Amino acid sequence: MDTSTGIQEPFDLIRLSLSERVFVKLRGDRELTGILHAYDGHMNLILSDVEETIMLVDGMDGAPSGQGVVNVAKRKMEMLFVRGDGVILVSPPSRT
Amino acid sequence: MLIFSVFKTLTDQRVTVELKNDLSITGTLKSVDQFLNIRLDAIEVADQARHPHMMAVKNCFIRGSVVRYVQLPAEHVDTQLLEDATRREAASQAKR
Amino acid sequence: MSSLQGYIDRRVLLVLQDGRAIVVAYLFPPDFPPSLPWFIPSFLHSANGLFLGIQGVLAGYDQKSNVVLSDSKERIYSIDEGVEEVPLGLYLVKGDMIILIGEIDEERDRAIDLSTIRADPVAPIRY
């Protein structure tokens, strides 16, 4: 397998997403999309043209799951460093 | 080391550090270390009415592990350089 | 953490993991006698169990950035009443509890009337 382009380990998937728009899921019900410019082994990321989505669930205690009202807050940031310890997943752009 | 180097190039620029307790502090980046601990000068805290705790604080040291995001000045980030450096670092990791 | 160097002997604000804010009058030098019995602070909580804050002078720190505070006070913030200052005195705070150290501008600090400040305590860090 060609080691310069092939995917052999998980980080290869992220490497091949450099300079592309990625989807990032974070702890604390946060999600980002942005163009990936840098990452390291801790999953620290640098993204540009970022849109953050924060899900705020107004969980009424005792309400059946799925019944809580979900408020969504969005904001945009031009250039963002994301600390890796908050990252749950990084997903490459969909190729559809 | 890559991300550490990026922060070093941003010394003396204004950045906004968002902590994992939602506190958002803007200041002039004075120094950063290998743990990505950050020193900021001339700080301003967002939404001071809700966060008056640091009103009299002029500069601060922030533990790297409590950082969620750092908003960077996009005009001082060379994204092409970043991507090249990231690929180089990924390649050197793979050789090991 | 060499970056703490600049805060020795200054009046500083410490913010801890759980949101406590401590004002310190002086931080001790790094070679502070290690034989000294160090006290892990048992922090103060409000009647409803909320932690409030701590302030003082940074007295010293070591490799793990544990710090010794002298003449420290905890600032307890509340949305219902002004800030309460609770004297703590000489304290050791474990480095991993500290999320932020800030140098206090004494003039600005004196100009603030704490009794008029209404705010929730700093939120605890959630990883």
Side-chain angles (χ1 to χ4, degrees):
Chain A
M1 195 177 197
D2 183 349
T3 50
S4 65
T5 56
I7 294 179
Q8 295 184 324
E9 44 182 293
F11 270 109
D12 293 342
L13 190 65
I14 301 179
R15 180 169 50 84
L16 294 174
S17 305
L18 278 170
S19 78
E20 305 227 40
R21 184 163 286 276
V22 294
F23 169 83
V24 182
K25 194 167 161 54
L26 298 171
R27 286 167 178 267
D29 298 316
R30 285 162 197 269
E31 295 173 357
L32 303 173
T33 66
I35 299 167
L36 180 67
H37 299 295
Y39 68 86
D40 66 11
H42 303 289
M43 286 256 213
N44 291 320
L45 310 171
I46 294 176
L47 306 170
S48 72
D49 192 17
V50 179
E51 183 174 78
E52 182 193 38
T53 308
I54 311 170
M55 263 75 72
L56 305 153
V57 181
D58 275 348
M60 286 174 297
D61 288 332
S65 59
Q67 294 278 315
V69 182
V70 181
N71 286 308
V72 175
K74 282 185 188 279
R75 67 177 165 155
K76 290 182 189 261
M77 290 164 284
E78 214 178 346
M79 186 68 68
L80 192 68
F81 160 77
V82 181
R83 191 167 166 102
D85 56 6
V87 174
I88 295 172
L89 69 85
V90 179
S91 166
S94 58
R95 312 236 179 235
T96 52
Chain B
M1 284 320 270
L2 169 79
I3 303 279
F4 173 47
S5 310
V6 174
F7 275 109
K8 278 202 290 193
T9 66
L10 294 171
T11 305
D12 291 326
Q13 303 298 334
R14 294 292 280 180
V15 298
T16 300
V17 180
E18 185 176 319
L19 310 187
K20 289 172 181 148
N21 59 8
D22 294 336
L23 203 60
S24 201
I25 305 168
T26 302
T28 307
L29 183 65
K30 290 321 280 185
S31 67
V32 63
D33 65 19
Q34 53 166 333
F35 305 109
L36 306 183
N37 297 319
I38 290 173
R39 262 199 78 154
L40 296 180
D41 245 2
I43 63 160
E44 295 163 43
V45 175
D47 195 358
Q48 206 176 75
R50 272 185 63 207
H51 306 292
H53 318 81
M54 294 176 59
M55 265 193 307
V57 174
K58 29 185 190 182
N59 59 61
C60 70
F61 169 92
I62 300 168
R63 175 179 288 277
S65 62
V66 303
V67 170
R68 178 187 293 136
Y69 302 136
V70 183
Q71 286 173 245
L72 309 173
E75 65 277 22
H76 293 285
V77 177
D78 183 333
T79 55
Q80 189 58 54
L81 207 70
L82 268 186
E83 290 166 20
D84 293 345
T86 302
R87 287 193 187 93
R88 265 201 308 279
E89 188 162 273
S92 76
Q93 300 283 335
K95 270 185 227 137
R96 267 182 246 139
Chain C
M1 253 187 258
S2 58
S3 341
L4 285 189
Q5 187 64 56
Y7 292 106
I8 290 298
D9 233 24
R10 299 291 171 80
R11 202 168 136 78
V12 297
L13 170 73
L14 299 187
V15 181
L16 308 187
Q17 294 270 358
D18 56 6
R20 277 177 272 203
I22 307 181
V23 183
V24 186
Y26 300 95
L27 209 61
F28 282 101
D31 53 358
F32 195 74
S35 53
L36 186 99
W38 281 2
F39 300 99
I40 305 296
S42 62
F43 288 112
L44 301 170
H45 294 259
S46 62
N48 54 9
L50 285 177
F51 165 74
L52 307 166
I54 314 179
Q55 232 188 345
V57 181
L58 201 50
Y61 69 95
D62 60 16
Q63 304 254 343
K64 290 179 177 159
S65 76
N66 297 324
V67 294
V68 182
L69 318 175
S70 71
D71 189 19
S72 57
K73 288 175 277 188
E74 179 173 350
R75 284 190 181 168
I76 302 181
Y77 289 83
S78 147
I79 201 76
D80 302 315
E81 45 195 291
V83 179
E84 183 188 355
E85 279 201 325
V86 177
L88 302 177
L90 187 64
Y91 254 45
L92 167 107
V93 176
K94 287 188 71 172
D96 50 16
M97 280 293 289
I98 299 169
I99 64 168
L100 182 150
I101 298 182
E103 185 184 351
I104 292 172
D105 183 324
E106 307 240 19
E107 214 165 292
R108 252 152 73 188
D109 198 48
R110 271 195 298 270
I112 299 168
D113 181 358
L114 288 175
S115 67
T116 63
I117 306 265
R118 301 280 186 283
D120 284 318
V122 180
I125 294 286
R126 296 191 54 191
Y127 289 99

